[in-house]
Amino acid sequence: MTSIELTGVHVDLPVFTSRSRGLLNSVFRYAQRERSRVESVGMFSYQVHALRGIDLRVNDGDRLGLVGRNGAGKTTLLRVLSGAYEPTQGAISIDGAVSSLTDLTLGMDLDANGYENIAMRAIHLRKSRVEAQALIRDVEAFTELGDYLHLPVRTYSSGMLLRLAFAISTAVAPEILLMDEMIGAGDAQFMGKAKIRIEALMAKVKILVLASHNDSIIRTFCNRAVCLGEGRVLFDGEVEPCLAYYGNYSARNAA
C-alpha cells in the first residue's frame, strides 16, 4: 500500500554569512515571531529551523494540499519527501515510487542531447527497451522539438529546455507525485498542453502532495489539506476547514 509517514521530523538548514543577524532576518523576511527559527551557531554561521516536529501520515488515495505563508516550510517539506533533504531529527518512511515536479531540470545532463536525457530517464525508471521507445515517442510528440533533440541540451533556449524537462518528468505516472505550485512558465500553447498533461498525470497517481498559494487549485485537486506555519503543522484535515483556518491564521498574524 502506497504511503508516506513522518514522525517527529526536524530540518535545520545551515546559513553562512558575514552579515549581521538583523540583515539575515530581513533577507528571510521573517516576521518578529518567526525570528526564533534563525539560530546563531558561530561568528558567521546560522541555522534555520525550517521544519520542527512534523508528524504526518499520507495514505493511498490522498490528494494533500500544503498551504501556508512564504517561509512556512512547504517547499522544505516537499524536498524532504523527494529525498533532497535529510531530516536532522525524526524518521521518514515512504512506500512507493516518488516523482517531484519541484525542480524539473534536476538530474538532466546539459552536455547530453535530448534523446540521451530521455534514455537516462528511462534507465532511472528501469524501463524495458519497448517501454523506453514508447517514452521517447511520447516526449517527441509533446515537445515538438524535432531535430533539436539531437543537439546538446545546453544549446536550448529556456523555453525549449522547459518543454523537454517537463515532458520527461511527466512521461510516466509515479505512485507519489510532489508539486510546488502548478507549472507557471512557457507560452500560451505550451501552458494549455501542460495543463491537460498534468491533470491526466495527477489522476493516475496514488498520492499527490501539492503546495500552492492558490485556494482554487487546492479546492480543485485536493481532498485534504495541511496548514504549515513557522515550520510546524498547524492544521490537518478537510480542505475547506483548513483554508478557513489558514485565512484566520494569516489575519491574526499579519506582519
Side-chain angles (χ1 to χ4, degrees), residues 219-242:
R219 289 187 176 100
T220 300
F221 295 106
C222 301
N223 57 19
R224 174 185 166 196
V226 162
C227 178
L228 292 170
E230 302 176 41
R232 304 181 189 277
V233 172
L234 304 179
F235 186 99
D236 182 355
E238 294 182 358
V239 170
E240 288 302 331
C242 184

Side-chain angles (χ1 to χ4, degrees), residues 206-223:
K206 294 182 178 180
I207 290 176
L208 170 69
V209 183
L210 168 63
S212 180
H213 290 285
N214 189 318
D215 289 358
S216 178
I217 288 175
I218 296 294
R219 289 187 176 100
T220 300
F221 295 106
C222 301
N223 57 19

Side-chain angles (χ1 to χ4, degrees), residues 28-200:
F28 276 102
R29 295 182 181 178
Y30 284 149
Q32 185 67 42
R33 68 187 175 281
E34 295 175 313
R35 292 185 182 177
S36 62
R37 294 173 68 191
V38 181
E39 177 185 358
S40 174
V41 292
M43 184 174 295
F44 297 121
S45 59
Y46 302 84
Q47 64 180 5
V48 178
H49 303 300
L51 294 180
R52 301 191 284 184
I54 300 293
D55 294 315
L56 185 65
R57 171 84 185 187
V58 189
N59 298 308
D60 199 330
D62 280 344
R63 298 316 194 234
L64 179 66
L66 303 180
V67 301
R69 302 168 63 154
N70 289 333
K74 303 186 299 299
T75 299
T76 302
L77 178 55
L78 289 175
R79 288 175 177 166
V80 168
L81 297 180
S82 72
Y85 288 170
E86 288 285 339
T88 310
Q89 292 178 238
I92 178 170
S93 174
I94 297 179
D95 186 0
V98 179
S99 181
S100 174
L101 298 188
T102 58
D103 186 351
L104 294 178
T105 60
L106 185 66
M108 293 185 70
D109 184 346
L110 299 184
D111 289 320
N113 66 33
Y115 284 115
E116 289 167 339
N117 273 285
I118 300 170
M120 285 187 285
R121 176 69 169 177
I123 292 170
H124 175 71
L125 294 172
R126 300 181 180 179
K127 295 298 179 182
S128 67
R129 183 182 298 273
V130 172
E131 291 171 325
Q133 286 298 319
L135 189 69
I136 290 171
R137 289 193 297 271
D138 176 75
V139 173
E140 282 178 328
F142 182 84
T143 62
E144 300 178 353
L145 289 175
D147 289 339
Y148 283 104
L149 290 171
H150 292 286
L151 299 178
V153 169
R154 59 179 165 75
T155 66
Y156 290 13
S157 68
S158 58
M160 291 164 63
L161 180 60
L162 174 65
R163 276 159 41 197
L164 178 62
F166 178 83
I168 292 174
S169 298
T170 56
V172 177
E175 292 172 296
I176 301 170
L177 178 63
L178 312 176
M179 293 182 62
D180 196 354
E181 296 291 353
M182 301 293 280
I183 303 301
D187 57 32
Q189 181 182 7
F190 171 77
M191 286 304 300
K193 292 174 61 177
K195 184 174 184 293
I196 294 171
R197 188 176 176 92
I198 211 163
E199 288 178 358

